[in-house]
Amino acid sequence: TQFQVSQSRDVNNATVAAFGRSDFTTTQNQVFWQNDVDTPIGVALFGVERLGQKVQGSTAYTVSERSITSAFAGLNGQAGPHSWQANLRRDRNSQFGSSTTGFVGYGYRISPAWRVHASHGTSFVAPSFNQLYFPGFGTPTLQPEEGRNTDIGVTFSQGGHTVKLVHFDNRIRGFIPSGPLPANVPRARIDGWTLGYDGTLGGVDLRASIDAMDPRNELT
């Protein structure tokens, strides 16, 4: 059993010639409780979380605080060449309502060196206070992003070296691009490949990766 109470505080004081001085303080208070239980089919986990977010400063935001109450459960296990993972989470956001997200993954070890794996998950990302309300930058009508993400890959590991090739396909409703005055993209898709390497050579840890992706607005 793990119980945690924490607070993070971010203070930003900026002076810009064209706009003058601006001060912002963002505070997050978190209460977290998780339990891990050994079972015949793996390690089961379940818990709850409460997160409070508040912003204050020289700009008066339309909404300056919100809370997210969450419950979650999961299972991680393996038997012989098989490994699996499943997670489910329910969030209640005081600003954007409730959402349910989940993840399932499976791996199979073909040989001591080769392993194939696949996973599918969903995501929910609420816009930040700055994306919503910052003057000249935010859009108060922004809605959360909702995604469906699929990965299929193969991994080779031997002699302290690991090479992984993964094909990914991420489909997002309401994608929020970066930059000023963002607007939800109704349907966005990011698919492609990632090739990665991790290893040790002569006492030096090495890591490299390359991505080939095709991000696009599916409407246009």
Side-chain angles (χ1 to χ4, degrees), residues 11 21 31 34 61 79 84 88 97 101 137 146 159 168 186 194 200:
V11 179
R21 183 176 176 84
V31 179
Q34 178 176 317
Y61 287 157
W84 56 84
L88 190 66
T101 53
F137 175 89
E146 297 182 34
F168 56 88
T194 294
T200 302

Side-chain angles (χ1 to χ4, degrees), residues 149-164:
N149 317 299
T150 302
D151 290 350
I152 301 174
V154 58
T155 299
F156 174 80
S157 298
Q158 193 172 58
H161 303 278
T162 299
V163 178
K164 180 183 291 186

Side-chain angles (χ1 to χ4, degrees), residues 6 15 36 48 51 69 72 89 109 114 191 193 198 210 218:
S6 61
T15 301
D36 296 349
V48 292
L51 181 66
T69 303
F72 56 88
R89 183 181 179 96
R109 189 168 295 282
W114 290 94
D191 60 343
W193 296 83
D198 281 283
I210 184 171
E218 290 209 294

Side-chain angles (χ1 to χ4, degrees), residues 76-152:
N76 294 281
Q78 62 180 31
H82 307 276
S83 58
W84 56 84
Q85 178 180 348
N87 301 92
L88 190 66
R89 183 181 179 96
R90 178 72 171 176
D91 294 299
R92 175 69 174 87
N93 188 305
S94 62
Q95 188 174 13
F96 293 104
S98 298
S99 65
T100 301
T101 53
F103 174 89
V104 290
Y106 170 77
Y108 181 79
R109 189 168 295 282
I110 303 172
S111 70
W114 290 94
R115 180 175 179 268
V116 293
H117 40 87
S119 65
H120 179 79
T122 59
S123 60
F124 180 91
V125 181
S128 68
F129 288 122
N130 280 346
Q131 289 175 321
L132 287 165
Y133 306 120
F134 192 89
F137 175 89
T139 304
T141 56
L142 278 181
Q143 296 299 305
E145 297 179 349
E146 297 182 34
R148 293 183 292 117
N149 317 299
T150 302
D151 290 350
I152 301 174

